[in-house]
Amino acid sequence: MTIDSKIQVRNVNVYYGNAQALYDVNLDIKSKEITSLIGPSGCGKSTFLRCLNRMNDVIEGCRVEGNITIDGENIYSKDKDPVLLRARVGMVFQKPNPFPKSIFDNVAYGPRIHGLAANTTELREIVENSLEQAGLMDEVKDRLNESATGLSGGQQQRICIARAIAVSPEVILMDEPCSALDPIATARVEELMGNLSINYTIVIVTHSMQQAARVSTRTAFFHLGHLVECDETNKIFTTPNDKRTEDYITGKVG
Amino acid sequence: MSIFEITIVILIISASAYFFGVRKIVSLSAKYKKKPDSLMKYYGKNAVIWAFVPAFSMLVAYSFLAPVYIETVFIDKLSKIFPEYQQSQLNLVYAQVQNIASGFLESSDVQLLALSEQLTSWNEKAQSTRSWVILLVLIGTSALGYNKIKLRFPARVKVEQFFERLFLGAAVTAILITIAIVVSLMFEALRFFEVYNFFDFLFGTHWSPNIAIRDDQVGSSGSFGMIPVLAGTVLIAFIAMLVALPIGVFSAIYMAEFAPRGLRDIIKPTLEILAGIPTVVYGFFAALMVAPFFRSIGLSLGLDVSSESALAAGAVMGIMIIPFISSLSDDVINAVPQSLKDGSIGLGATKAETIIKVILPAALPGLVGAFLLAVSRAIGETMIVVMAAGHAANLTANPLEAVTTVTVQIVALLTGDTVFDSPKTLSAFALGITLFVATLMLNIAALTVSRKLSEKYD
């Protein structure tokens, strides 16, 4: 156990009804760096990601066993409120999913429900600051009151990131955030991730090994519900310990 | 031959047309060692269409038009025999002759008997002509269709065209019937406005349609101001929506977002049963149970509740509309993408916050549409109000009093002994067209509103 690990995952098993999706996963995620989860489709990496903010709770028939602690607190203990947890652990989804509201209202959504701003001036500050951090302020500052669904896909995804930042989370989970974006928008989001990792712990699921190599410090490889290995990204992509990892990154399987 | 026999013949010929059609194309294909344009079966289908459709349409047309034609010619003939008779009297004589001819009526009048014999012979002649005409058409068009079969004949395209026209025909029929209904309503309504001022009808505040049929009767002047009737309709629809909207929408939210699968499987069919109850059952539920219940509650509170009240009728109508609203709302809420719900939950919103701030706004266009459709149903609903709302045209906003509605008045005006050209009867058509215009406007509003709102978000 390393001292600076933000999230510790111990012996986690996940079931959808009778089907087991994750087998005995153990993983440490370090503070203020980017960890990538890679692996072939259906390997359980998204399921694992959704364990970290208990989004699996909303799926009927999903059961999580084991311990996950953030800063030493077990997030699955009975007295923990998943709603408060999700304010600490933000999430960005595969498909950009801005609410059908104005750009301002999208970013202000989280602060409003969590009562983070005492008045409208503060709220405006939070919103502008979040947009600034998401690198979107220059593009949208003249149309904060227009619908967010009218933006381009890449802008929508950055709105979603701004929306997540606005609640000032400690961890941001990203579930294939660039899979619906073109290369230019992808590059912008990756640049943004790099900037955000100064202040936030980021866990990203990605299908693109190049993306994992580009953005992350550490990479975890999942295969058929097992965590095969997790190490420095460099090491995973050059000298993996496990044969399965090697086969995957060299394109022999998956 | 009877219609039944002719139909059988048409069917047999059509069926064999299929086999002959396929056989011809097969032999042509073998003879020239070439594949035909379309698959073999399309040549068979094409032959069937040529055999069946013209002959059968002819049969239908002939069966409808021949009696009309005979009647016109025969009455023309009668008018020469009885030059002093009016048109209505001639119609009467014709009906008499018809009944004698078909044996429902006996008569000793020599002239009538002779006429009836003549009518019988005309009918027989029409029937035998019919057989011949249809057989001729059947054989002619079948041969024509058979003749059309060649290797280069695009049978598949023709069959496709036929079906397209068939579906177009169905759509056009539906539209034409709607137009016909509206036009006939309008003509009768216009006849009413010939005898009664249009603005007095539209803005009059006194409704008492009792009009004398004979000139010497007492109280022969009716009054047709429709405001009280319309007000009653609006009041009851308002009460109904007050009941149906919250229960319907909230139960839809519960079903879509909270209910575990098992419970949902119970609630949904139960609500659908509610939708399947005949309105007349709701009617006596309202009249015999709900109205007395409200009355006794009112009495214990010292309120005077009439035994037929807008409240009782409206409340029961609301119950009737609940499944309508809840199932429409359920669909609309389920159509909100899961990604939006995930986005909100992922930001730490509770379920209720997600519903109020994300799901309902996103579902709003559909909900408004559902609401307006439900209102137009409430306005058009008849049976419950006939049984429970009363007939007195009170102009009141008090839900505890009896009121009457447009639909109740139409029922009252058109049941029992009526004379078809009295303003009393005709006013029903004016009410009908008012109702039609009202629901039409509501439906248009529903469409516009939901389009406007969804444009804002897309």
Side-chain angles (χ1 to χ4, degrees):
Chain A
M1 182 178 140
T2 42
I3 298 152
D4 60 346
S5 70
K6 175 85 176 167
I7 306 172
Q8 293 173 354
V9 178
R10 293 290 174 266
N11 308 345
V12 164
N13 289 290
V14 179
Y15 307 85
Y16 291 116
N18 292 323
Q20 189 163 3
L22 281 180
Y23 298 87
D24 207 27
V25 172
N26 289 286
L27 181 66
D28 282 355
I29 293 167
K30 289 189 181 172
S31 188
K32 297 190 179 166
E33 62 175 42
I34 302 180
T35 305
S36 295
L37 312 178
I38 61 169
S41 294
C43 66
K45 53 193 191 301
S46 286
T47 299
F48 176 75
L49 192 74
R50 291 170 73 96
C51 289
L52 300 180
N53 68 344
R54 293 186 60 175
M55 277 299 278
N56 283 332
D57 289 15
V58 296
I59 298 174
E60 237 178 292
C62 182
R63 207 167 80 247
V64 179
E65 286 171 3
N67 274 324
I68 299 177
T69 58
I70 295 181
D71 291 338
E73 295 171 52
N74 184 3
I75 61 170
Y76 276 91
S77 79
K78 284 231 165 60
D79 56 339
K80 271 276 171 286
D81 184 354
V83 167
L84 292 180
L85 169 72
R86 290 181 199 128
R88 286 175 62 197
V89 184
M91 190 161 194
V92 176
F93 296 84
Q94 186 170 0
K95 233 183 97 209
N97 58 349
F99 303 129
K101 298 172 183 289
S102 73
I103 294 171
F104 185 90
D105 285 341
N106 260 279
V107 183
Y109 186 83
R112 275 185 181 140
I113 56 177
H114 295 295
L116 298 183
N119 51 47
T120 42
T121 329
E122 267 182 54
L123 187 64
R124 181 158 279 275
E125 242 165 56
I126 293 177
V127 169
E128 285 174 358
N129 187 27
S130 309
L131 285 169
E132 195 73 59
Q133 283 195 65
L136 202 57
M137 196 55 195
D138 291 340
E139 289 160 64
V140 300
K141 63 170 179 269
D142 298 325
R143 41 178 178 155
L144 288 178
N145 291 317
E146 285 173 34
S147 172
T149 47
L151 297 172
S152 75
Q155 288 173 325
Q156 288 189 13
Q157 194 61 300
R158 281 181 286 146
I159 284 283
C160 295
I161 294 173
R163 193 172 69 183
I165 297 170
V167 250
S168 31
E170 297 153 30
V171 182
I172 301 175
L173 310 175
M174 297 186 174
D175 190 357
E176 298 182 36
C178 301
S179 64
L181 304 184
D182 66 42
I184 295 167
T186 301
R188 298 214 55 169
V189 172
E190 284 179 7
E191 189 194 334
L192 171 60
M193 280 189 254
N195 297 337
L196 292 176
S197 67
I198 299 165
N199 297 316
Y200 304 94
T201 305
I202 296 178
V203 185
I204 171 176
V205 164
T206 177
H207 260 300
S208 151
M209 283 177 276
Q210 290 88 337
Q211 184 171 56
R214 279 193 302 264
V215 300
S216 62
T217 336
R218 290 168 68 82
T219 298
F221 174 66
F222 282 78
H223 189 254
L224 298 176
H226 295 275
L227 172 62
V228 177
E229 60 180 308
C230 176
D231 216 323
E232 302 278 315
T233 303
N234 263 338
K235 180 151 187 309
I236 292 278
F237 281 99
T238 50
T239 52
N241 287 329
D242 197 288
K243 180 79 173 62
R244 286 171 291 179
T245 318
E246 195 185 327
D247 286 348
Y248 181 70
I249 60 167
T250 53
K252 281 183 192 150
V253 292
Chain B
M1 281 194 285
S2 71
I3 291 186
F4 179 69
E5 287 164 333
I6 294 177
T7 314
I8 295 284
V9 171
I10 295 177
L11 285 176
I12 291 172
I13 301 272
S14 306
S16 45
Y18 185 87
F19 292 104
F20 281 111
V22 172
R23 208 179 68 174
K24 181 175 175 190
I25 197 69
V26 168
S27 72
L28 279 176
S29 167
K31 188 170 154 196
Y32 295 105
K33 298 199 167 48
K34 265 187 185 166
K35 276 178 95 178
D37 259 21
S38 313
L39 291 178
M40 304 288 185
K41 63 179 179 185
Y42 282 109
Y43 291 90
K45 284 180 185 170
N46 195 59
V48 172
I49 291 170
W50 274 94
F52 180 79
V53 177
F56 192 74
S57 336
M58 195 69 187
L59 176 64
V60 172
Y62 200 105
S63 309
F64 276 108
L65 294 181
V68 179
Y69 179 72
I70 290 179
E71 182 176 339
T72 330
V73 177
F74 203 89
I75 288 181
D76 197 44
K77 189 178 148 79
L78 286 177
S79 72
K80 282 179 191 119
I81 302 173
F82 309 103
E84 73 279 13
Y85 278 13
Q86 301 271 314
Q87 184 64 36
S88 55
Q89 284 168 305
L90 290 174
N91 285 343
L92 212 63
V93 175
Y94 178 69
Q96 228 172 351
V97 171
Q98 222 178 3
N99 282 330
I100 296 167
S102 50
F104 292 128
L105 205 70
E106 280 179 19
S107 170
S108 51
D109 189 324
V110 186
Q111 198 180 22
L112 281 182
L113 280 176
L115 280 169
S116 75
E117 257 167 49
Q118 200 165 22
L119 184 63
T120 314
S121 85
W122 281 26
N123 279 335
E124 277 165 5
K125 211 162 117 194
Q127 215 175 54
S128 67
T129 324
R130 177 179 68 188
S131 305
W132 284 114
V133 167
I134 286 163
L135 282 182
L136 216 65
V137 170
L138 180 63
I139 291 165
T141 58
S142 302
L144 204 64
Y146 184 75
N147 203 34
K148 273 184 178 283
I149 297 175
K150 301 198 174 66
L151 280 176
R152 292 279 73 87
F153 180 67
R156 180 174 53 80
V157 178
K158 295 288 174 193
V159 172
E160 201 67 20
Q161 256 173 19
F162 166 74
F163 278 109
E164 190 187 325
R165 280 179 200 152
L166 186 71
F167 298 139
L168 175 74
V172 169
T173 311
I175 293 171
L176 284 183
I177 289 173
T178 314
I179 292 175
I181 290 173
V182 175
V183 167
S184 74
L185 260 183
M186 241 155 67
F187 271 108
E188 299 297 324
L190 283 179
R191 279 178 67 196
F192 172 70
F193 293 125
E194 272 167 21
V195 293
Y196 198 84
N197 187 303
F198 175 71
F199 292 101
D200 287 350
F201 170 75
L202 209 57
F203 301 115
T205 54
H206 185 62
W207 178 267
S208 86
N210 296 315
I211 200 159
I213 294 172
R214 296 190 318 276
D215 288 335
D216 54 347
Q217 253 176 332
V218 193
S220 61
S221 63
S223 176
F224 298 96
M226 65 162 223
I227 290 292
V229 183
L230 201 64
T233 300
V234 171
L235 177 64
I236 288 183
F238 179 74
I239 295 169
M241 295 317 291
L242 228 50
V243 173
L245 195 67
I247 299 182
V249 172
F250 291 174
S251 69
I253 291 174
Y254 180 73
M255 277 194 296
E257 298 300 325
F258 291 101
R261 187 165 301 244
L263 197 57
R264 186 191 156 94
D265 288 350
I266 297 171
I267 298 179
K268 233 187 153 165
T270 313
L271 278 173
E272 270 150 24
I273 289 174
L274 213 56
I277 298 174
T279 53
V280 66
V281 176
Y282 279 113
F284 63 69
F285 176 63
L288 301 180
M289 303 177 76
V290 177
F293 174 69
F294 282 145
R295 193 174 158 74
S296 62
I297 287 187
L299 279 178
S300 67
L301 294 173
L303 288 171
D304 184 25
V305 183
S306 109
S307 60
E308 288 178 321
S309 67
L311 186 62
V316 173
M317 194 192 285
I319 295 171
M320 184 197 76
I321 295 175
I322 288 172
F324 190 74
I325 291 202
S326 83
S327 92
L328 279 176
S329 308
D330 188 40
D331 291 345
V332 171
I333 290 169
N334 273 322
V336 175
Q338 183 64 36
S339 68
L340 283 186
K341 299 174 197 169
D342 279 352
S344 174
I345 298 280
L347 283 169
T350 61
K351 247 179 175 175
E353 283 167 342
T354 303
I355 289 162
I356 293 167
K357 295 195 168 178
V358 174
I359 296 177
L360 287 185
L364 191 65
L367 291 178
V368 171
F371 169 74
L372 289 175
L373 284 179
V375 173
S376 68
R377 257 198 82 165
I379 288 179
E381 166 53 36
T382 310
M383 215 55 223
I384 295 173
V385 278
V386 166
M387 296 171 81
H391 292 265
N394 294 324
L395 183 54
T396 174
N398 180 358
L400 306 179
E401 275 181 51
V403 295
T404 192
T405 71
V406 176
T407 48
V408 169
Q409 285 310 310
I410 292 176
V411 170
L413 290 168
L414 292 183
T415 44
D417 288 339
T418 55
V419 189
F420 226 57
D421 49 4
S422 103
K424 180 181 169 183
T425 318
L426 291 174
S427 69
F429 291 94
L431 286 178
I433 201 107
T434 316
L435 203 59
F436 171 77
V437 170
T439 46
L440 183 72
M441 288 200 306
L442 275 173
N443 285 349
I444 292 174
L447 276 177
T448 341
V449 166
S450 61
R451 201 170 296 152
K452 269 254 168 64
L453 288 175
S454 49
E455 262 170 18
K456 203 171 141 195
Y457 291 135
D458 281 344

